[in-house]
Amino acid sequence: MDLAVRFGPRRCSQRSQLKCKGSLPKSFEEFASARIAMDATEVIQDIPSDMNCQSLSYSSYKSRRTVNAVTCVAPNGALVFSSELYPGSTSNSAIVDHCGVLNQLQAGDLIKAGKGFNIFDKLPSGVSLNIPPFLSNKAHFTKEEAELCYKIGKARIHVESANERIKNYDILNHIPAQYRHLSTKIFQLCCCLINLQAPLLKEIADKYEI
């Protein structure tokens, strides 16, 4: 179940690209082809009674049992996609591959994401991915790499802010076992409600002031 505000079908893609470019905030000026900023967020859950589920739900990154989702925000700050919730051990790359978000993109689109989204081998033809560079065997980034990290981080802060708003809903602080079968619907409803709040970006909000 994707958000009601998810991307439209492919025949609408060109129109959506133009809409994105027509509302680019300053932080995206150097990434004019950006379509989405992508990130992952997690929700804490009760320990499942089933041993296999216990193992699958354990997030080594968070050192606790969680369920995770991938969320995507348009350059103007609108939350445009949420995946279902997946067991905490599921990698970001695996979620992206399974949830179908890449099928909503077309040639010329650019994805902004963090280092945890090394999904170059999964991209549709013509779709680009921009993630911060890795240090590898180097001790420090070059000046150009450091500047790129800063620019990418500045452009990605919107999706991080959206995720923070999502998790401000108390019901997502901890989903008890009796609601586990509804957890994805609960999470995605909270995502939908985010778009009914004031715009994330001041320069976008200013356009709606009376």
Side-chain angles (χ1 to χ4, degrees), residues 47-57 180:
I47 299 176
S49 56
D50 183 270
M51 294 297 291
N52 289 330
C53 292
Q54 286 185 26
S55 176
L56 289 173
S57 66
R180 185 175 293 122

Side-chain angles (χ1 to χ4, degrees), residues 16-32:
S16 297
Q17 285 180 332
L18 292 174
K19 287 173 67 176
C20 281
K21 292 180 180 179
S23 59
L24 281 178
K26 292 181 179 179
S27 57
F28 276 82
E29 285 179 341
E30 295 191 36
F31 309 105

Side-chain angles (χ1 to χ4, degrees), residues 71-118:
T71 55
C72 299
V73 169
N76 65 2
L79 187 60
V80 292
F81 184 89
S82 168
S83 72
E84 296 180 359
L85 290 171
Y86 291 79
S89 62
T90 312
S91 69
N92 295 343
S93 177
I95 295 176
V96 170
D97 191 33
H98 184 267
C99 72
V101 62
L102 297 180
N103 297 332
Q104 307 298 328
L105 303 174
Q106 72 163 26
D109 287 339
L110 170 66
I111 302 170
K112 309 290 295 180
K115 292 181 180 180
F117 289 89
N118 190 354

Side-chain angles (χ1 to χ4, degrees), residues 27-28 31 37 112 150-159:
S27 57
F28 276 82
F31 309 105
K112 309 290 295 180
Y150 172 76
K151 292 174 181 176
I152 293 174
K154 189 176 179 181
R156 285 187 60 250
I157 195 170
H158 311 327
V159 68

Side-chain angles (χ1 to χ4, degrees), residues 12-209:
C12 298
S13 293
Q14 185 175 7
R15 182 179 63 186
S16 297
Q17 285 180 332
L18 292 174
K19 287 173 67 176
C20 281
K21 292 180 180 179
S23 59
L24 281 178
K26 292 181 179 179
S27 57
F28 276 82
E29 285 179 341
E30 295 191 36
F31 309 105
S33 61
R35 184 77 176 278
I36 53 174
M38 180 182 290
D39 198 9
T41 189
E42 82 290 335
V43 176
I44 301 173
Q45 66 170 11
D46 280 342
I47 299 176
S49 56
D50 183 270
M51 294 297 291
N52 289 330
C53 292
Q54 286 185 26
S55 176
L56 289 173
S57 66
Y58 185 78
S59 169
S60 57
Y61 178 70
K62 294 292 182 178
S63 298
R64 58 192 178 191
R65 288 176 173 82
T66 66
V67 283
N68 300 341
V70 164
T71 55
C72 299
V73 169
N76 65 2
L79 187 60
V80 292
F81 184 89
S82 168
S83 72
E84 296 180 359
L85 290 171
Y86 291 79
S89 62
T90 312
S91 69
N92 295 343
S93 177
I95 295 176
V96 170
D97 191 33
H98 184 267
C99 72
V101 62
L102 297 180
N103 297 332
Q104 307 298 328
L105 303 174
Q106 72 163 26
D109 287 339
L110 170 66
I111 302 170
K112 309 290 295 180
K115 292 181 180 180
F117 289 89
N118 190 354
I119 54 173
F120 289 100
D121 60 329
K122 305 181 187 303
L123 297 175
S125 177
V127 174
S128 303
L129 172 67
N130 197 315
I131 62 176
F134 290 86
L135 272 176
S136 299
N137 296 323
K138 298 181 296 184
H140 303 284
F141 286 126
T142 64
K143 179 181 178 180
E144 292 75 17
E145 289 173 334
E147 290 177 350
L148 178 61
C149 286
Y150 172 76
K151 292 174 181 176
I152 293 174
K154 189 176 179 181
R156 285 187 60 250
I157 195 170
H158 311 327
V159 68
E160 295 172 358
S161 298
N163 284 343
E164 183 177 348
R165 283 190 176 187
I166 294 168
K167 297 178 74 172
N168 281 338
Y169 287 102
D170 290 342
I171 194 170
L172 296 181
N173 287 340
H174 182 89
I175 298 179
Q178 62 266 34
Y179 294 139
R180 185 175 293 122
H181 66 293
L182 296 173
S183 58
T184 285
K185 291 183 178 180
I186 292 171
F187 177 80
Q188 292 187 331
L189 176 59
C190 292
C191 290
C192 288
L193 293 174
I194 293 302
N195 284 340
L196 299 180
Q197 298 180 16
L200 281 169
L201 309 182
K202 185 178 184 301
E203 59 188 289
I204 301 297
D206 289 344
K207 296 180 180 180
Y208 295 92
E209 289 185 352

